[in-house]
Amino acid sequence: MTYENPYMNGQIWPELNILEILRQRNPLVICITNDVVRTFTANGLLAIGASPVMSECSEDLKDLIVHASALLINIGTLTPDKVSYYKDAIALAKKHEVPIVLDPVGCHAGAYRLSVVLDLIKTGEISLVRGNQSEIKAIYDALSPNNQADTSTTGKGVDGGQIEDSAVIAYRLARLINCPIVATGEEDYVSDGTRVFAVPHGHPIMTAVTGTGCLLGAVLAAFFSAYYPCKNRLSMGEFLAYALAYYGLAGESAVQVSGVKPGSFSVAFMDSLYTLDDAVLMSENRIRPIVVPDQLQVYFISGTQDVELNEHRLLSIVEDACRGGVTCFQFREKGAGTLVGQQKLELARQLKQICAKYNVLYIINDDVDLAMAVNADGVHVGQEDMNLEAVRNLVGHKVVGISIHSVEELHKTNIIYADCVGVGPMYATSSKPDAQEPCGLERIAELQAEGLTLPCVGIGGITLDNAKPILEAGACGVAIISAIAHADNPYEAVQQFKHLVDSTK
């Protein structure tokens, strides 16, 4: 589908052709992988249009790495000698700016495996960690700053089970180690530390075929080569979600041919990886955006109207706020004398750069076209703005937020098209001249009792002194305008809000 945007001077977004780009580039993927899956991995990479090579020693890798598009390190058959090789490989990949995918096979099953994985992650050079949900949870528990590790997992050996809150864990780990996380299970989750997506895993028979998980790590490595042409349209998280969608679709397609038979499935799966195209991938719409509560904890809203129409001051305040720890920033440019057209577009782009620098969720208020033009993370609309279904149809997998002030509005809102909710005004506010009368803290509980399950944030007149009751009433976070925008020190103001939220959770 083409999309014409008034901010883009008549330019039209081209079709997304991720698989076509990958196949045209025929990326060389170096695989340091386990002994069991080498052939399956090589055949799978060939099927998707990549070029595989299996490497066994540092001297060999020195010659290969200069031609590589990505490096896979899979620790499935682990030995002390291989650990030294992994570290040599990481150093070589760093030297030649080659992205590294780490598959931490079985790290939840034993202390030695986990220690190896942590050492590799602590190099700071890993570009993506792909593991099952048990493995990802084990890594997060080991690195979690609150040091309250929950070691309960399901599964045995290197297999993993479904873990509750895997979406939250993926988001937190991605931010903690500053690289994207893919956590596979009955439903797969991917986070780049800013966005979170869920993707159907494929067919259950895939877990009965040795190598499907390991091959996924190699496939994700190959996809890195196709990201650059798509980066103005897709976040890294959404791009990787497309890779997961492709892989799951191939599994489901293979079962239609082979039936639920592991031996036959392996052959049919290779055929599906080879034959699936972008038309099928884009039409299936298997990617589901998720907002986890962490993303809404300290939600800053501002525009030039809040800083005496001073663009430079707004940019400075937003950078201080992001540095201080806001988890979401909403660009709300409304009122007399505010920016429009290309000036608004340019400011929105600069704000996006700041938010991206700090992995802060970047939301545009009301202006769907602007959100699309700058590839913002999402858009927030009010009850009087565009219909939610129409918004979703335009923005695809971006975050969609909606304002809800009453139970009546909840019942008339097609909430299935939204990802999060702003509830308010909690208190009287002067930041929005058109604000309704305060609805009070009890409104959050009322909406949840009437079926609101989406994460919500309280908004309206919130200060450090009155924020805690909103969190205790059931909100995931607080949306703040003046208490940050007008603070003498926005960085310190955000730090105080962050401390309050952390201590209230």
Side-chain angles (χ1 to χ4, degrees), residues 116-138:
V116 169
V117 168
L118 297 179
D119 282 346
L120 299 181
I121 288 173
K122 288 174 182 176
T123 65
E125 303 302 329
I126 303 301
S127 308
L128 169 68
V129 178
R130 184 234 74 93
N132 64 47
Q133 292 176 11
S134 296
E135 292 160 353
I136 297 304
K137 183 178 186 298

Side-chain angles (χ1 to χ4, degrees), residues 240-498:
L240 292 171
Y242 272 111
L244 290 172
Y246 161 64
Y247 202 74
L249 275 170
E252 293 178 8
S253 176
V255 169
Q256 294 175 6
V257 175
S258 68
V260 187
K261 304 171 186 174
S264 303
F265 173 83
S266 296
V267 175
F269 185 52
M270 294 297 162
D271 292 343
S272 293
L273 289 171
Y274 181 78
T275 57
L276 276 177
D277 60 18
D278 285 297
V280 175
L281 177 60
M282 297 301 160
S283 66
E284 287 292 328
N285 195 28
R286 294 167 63 90
I287 299 170
R288 179 167 62 92
I290 292 177
V291 171
V292 299
D294 290 30
Q295 293 170 293
L296 303 180
Q297 289 179 351
V298 183
Y299 190 129
F300 179 36
I301 303 173
S302 194
T304 61
Q305 71 279 351
D306 302 305
V307 292
E308 299 177 337
L309 304 179
N310 187 325
E311 297 172 47
H312 296 294
R313 176 156 173 73
L314 177 64
L315 291 169
S316 175
I317 289 172
V318 171
E319 174 124 27
D320 285 346
C322 289
R323 192 168 52 86
V326 295
T327 55
C328 181
F329 171 67
Q330 182 185 133
F331 178 39
R332 181 180 177 274
E333 185 74 357
K334 281 189 172 183
T338 54
L339 302 179
V340 296
Q342 290 300 306
Q343 289 181 310
K344 185 178 180 182
L345 174 66
E346 180 54 35
L347 180 57
R349 283 174 173 160
Q350 293 178 66
L351 290 167
K352 183 200 170 185
Q353 291 175 351
I354 293 171
C355 290
K357 178 180 176 182
Y358 295 94
N359 277 348
V360 171
L361 194 69
Y362 179 45
I363 305 297
I364 300 291
N365 181 265
D366 291 350
D367 196 335
V368 173
D369 290 326
L370 182 63
M372 297 298 290
V374 301
N375 190 27
D377 295 312
V379 61
H380 185 93
V381 295
Q383 290 289 324
E384 305 304 319
D385 299 316
M386 187 184 297
N387 172 274
L388 267 184
E389 183 177 4
V391 173
R392 175 60 73 196
N393 288 337
L394 280 174
V395 305
H397 305 122
K398 295 187 182 300
V399 169
V400 175
I402 178 70
S403 296
I404 295 180
H405 310 93
S406 66
V407 171
E408 291 74 22
E409 286 185 353
L410 174 64
H411 289 321
K412 75 176 186 179
T413 299
N414 204 343
I415 203 74
I416 190 174
Y417 296 108
D419 302 303
C420 57
V421 173
V423 181
M426 294 284 100
Y427 309 109
T429 176
S430 59
S431 297
K432 293 179 65 177
D434 57 345
Q436 299 184 19
E437 289 296 313
C439 62
L441 302 175
E442 64 278 2
R443 187 56 44 82
I444 296 171
E446 290 174 2
L447 293 173
Q448 291 173 339
E450 288 292 319
L452 178 63
T453 58
L454 294 177
C456 68
V457 58
I459 185 172
I462 297 173
T463 67
L464 197 62
D465 293 330
N466 63 24
K468 187 173 181 178
I470 298 171
L471 300 168
E472 293 173 337
C476 297
V478 287
I480 307 130
I481 301 177
S482 299
I484 295 176
H486 298 167
D488 293 336
N489 188 324
Y491 171 85
E492 289 186 1
V494 171
Q495 287 270 292
Q496 290 175 319
F497 274 107
K498 194 170 187 319

